[in-house]
Amino acid sequence: MVSFSNAAITVASLSDIPTLLVLLNSAYRGEVSKQGWTTEAGLIAGDVRTDYDDLLRVMQLPASIMLKYTNSQNEITGCVNLEQRGNKIYLGMFSVSPQLQGGGIGRQLLLAAEEYAHYLNCSYIYMHVISARSELIAWYKRNNYYDTGERIPFKEDGLSGKHLQPLEFMVLEKKLANKAD
């Protein structure tokens, strides 16, 4: 298994699901999410981004892992799901505790995603980002992700909240340098 350059980042287990749920939901939905800059509360109503069954399903997908960032008090303060799809890694469920956003945890998780991609000999990392999230898209672009031009409808799913406006995803991607480069 891959080891990460930051010892605070490890692979989450199914026993982490309850804590991960609180983190994921608080980073994206509801009043607590407004303490951070990644909130979607102005775009999607409700307090739920995901639930136990959905997170369990994602974590049990073939070629899927969930990374967690754990602080010195052994609290999970960040996470990201990585799924190998051919020679690419899909990056999703990327979350940092709203109170800690802007402190570098997100960058560390992106670096760990790249380390994992290199470990699997993948050439790209890609993600879906709500196209209305200009500040978040700008942050990803500063981290060398680019807009592929692809758009995907974001349909309400009965789980993750009522859309307050029409939404779509844009696909962002990063080409990884070869380890030998």
Side-chain angles (χ1 to χ4, degrees):
M1 184 46 145
V2 66
S3 60
F4 300 101
S5 58
N6 185 329
I9 298 174
T10 58
V11 176
S13 69
L14 298 181
S15 66
D16 292 317
I17 289 177
T19 304
L20 292 169
L21 277 174
V22 171
L23 173 64
L24 285 159
N25 288 325
S26 70
Y28 289 99
R29 303 285 189 273
E31 286 302 310
V32 174
S33 72
K34 294 177 184 177
Q35 295 175 32
W37 65 277
T38 64
T39 183
E40 295 172 354
L43 301 171
I44 303 171
D47 294 328
V48 176
R49 156 65 177 81
T50 190
D51 66 10
Y52 186 95
D53 292 338
D54 185 50
L55 186 53
L56 177 64
R57 179 192 59 77
V58 167
M59 289 177 70
Q60 291 183 326
L61 287 171
S64 175
I65 67 167
M66 180 71 77
L67 301 183
K68 63 181 179 178
Y69 183 100
T70 307
N71 68 16
S72 59
Q73 292 79 38
N74 207 31
E75 299 165 328
I76 299 173
T77 57
C79 68
V80 65
N81 173 247
L82 305 172
E83 296 175 29
Q84 183 178 12
R85 298 179 181 175
N87 76 331
K88 296 182 178 188
I89 296 289
Y90 174 73
L91 185 149
M93 294 192 169
F94 184 30
S95 301
V96 174
S97 174
Q99 301 85 351
L100 300 174
Q101 291 174 11
I105 293 171
R107 284 197 202 301
Q108 290 299 312
L109 286 165
L110 283 183
L111 176 61
E114 291 181 30
E115 291 170 346
Y116 185 68
H118 282 298
Y119 171 77
L120 295 177
N121 295 313
C122 291
S123 302
Y124 297 88
I125 298 176
Y126 74 101
M127 66 186 77
H128 301 159
V129 180
I130 297 173
S131 62
R133 301 293 318 281
S134 57
E135 72 288 351
L136 187 57
I137 292 163
W139 185 81
Y140 284 122
K141 286 182 175 181
R142 289 192 302 273
N143 284 280
N144 299 311
Y145 284 80
Y146 60 90
D147 180 358
T148 65
E150 184 179 356
R151 299 296 182 268
I152 300 168
F154 184 178
K155 298 179 180 161
E156 289 184 25
D157 60 9
L159 171 64
S160 62
K162 174 91 174 117
H163 295 186
L164 302 175
Q165 66 185 57
L167 297 173
E168 69 177 359
F169 289 114
M170 65 188 305
V171 178
L172 299 178
E173 186 170 83
K174 181 176 185 175
K175 181 170 182 7
L176 301 175
N178 294 329
K179 279 189 170 182
D181 290 350

